[in-house]
Amino acid sequence: MIKLVCLINRPSNKTAEEFKHWWLSHHASVAAKLPNLRHYSISTTIPEADNHMLFDGIAELYFDSHEDMKSAFASEQGQACSKEDVEMIGNRIAFVTEEHLIVS
């Protein structure tokens, strides 16, 4: 499995709650329709836990192969998802990983 990990930060004109609502309701439904997507999770930060957070959360998208991931983002749905990333996300650090499960 290949996993795309994205550390996400909201834009400066959105509150944490506004961004979380958009991310979990609207954007998640767009990304969930990516072709070849095997698993998708979003983990949002808990403001009460730390007031010096650098990111608002993490998105993890799993694909069978790097080629499947590339074709997913080359698709019409992938282009729509990427467009939203550029327009609605403040900052993003993304990297492709190969997961090694230690405990399940």
Side-chain angles (χ1 to χ4, degrees):
M1 280 270 184
I2 296 297
K3 178 169 52 170
L4 175 62
V5 178
C6 302
L7 305 173
I8 306 292
N9 207 354
R10 71 183 179 271
S12 60
N13 65 343
K14 297 284 184 196
T15 68
E17 281 305 311
E18 288 171 331
F19 182 70
K20 182 178 174 180
H21 176 74
W22 170 82
W23 193 12
L24 293 174
S25 61
H26 174 76
H27 189 66
S29 67
V30 172
K33 295 175 186 163
L34 286 167
N36 306 315
L37 184 65
R38 293 293 188 187
H39 178 81
Y40 174 39
S41 67
I42 294 174
S43 301
T44 57
T45 54
I46 302 170
E48 302 82 36
D50 182 359
N51 61 0
H52 299 333
M53 292 177 286
L54 298 176
F55 294 94
D56 291 286
I58 299 170
E60 297 174 293
L61 296 90
Y62 292 75
F63 300 89
D64 286 335
S65 68
H66 190 244
E67 291 73 27
D68 282 351
M69 183 189 73
K70 287 186 345 186
S71 69
F73 284 102
S75 72
E76 186 176 322
Q77 191 66 29
Q79 291 174 15
C81 186
S82 295
K83 183 175 187 249
E84 285 197 353
D85 285 355
V86 170
E87 293 175 352
M88 297 296 294
I89 290 175
N91 191 19
R92 179 182 84 145
I93 296 174
F95 45 97
V96 178
T97 68
E98 181 179 12
E99 184 174 66
H100 304 273
L101 184 62
I102 307 303
V103 177
S104 175

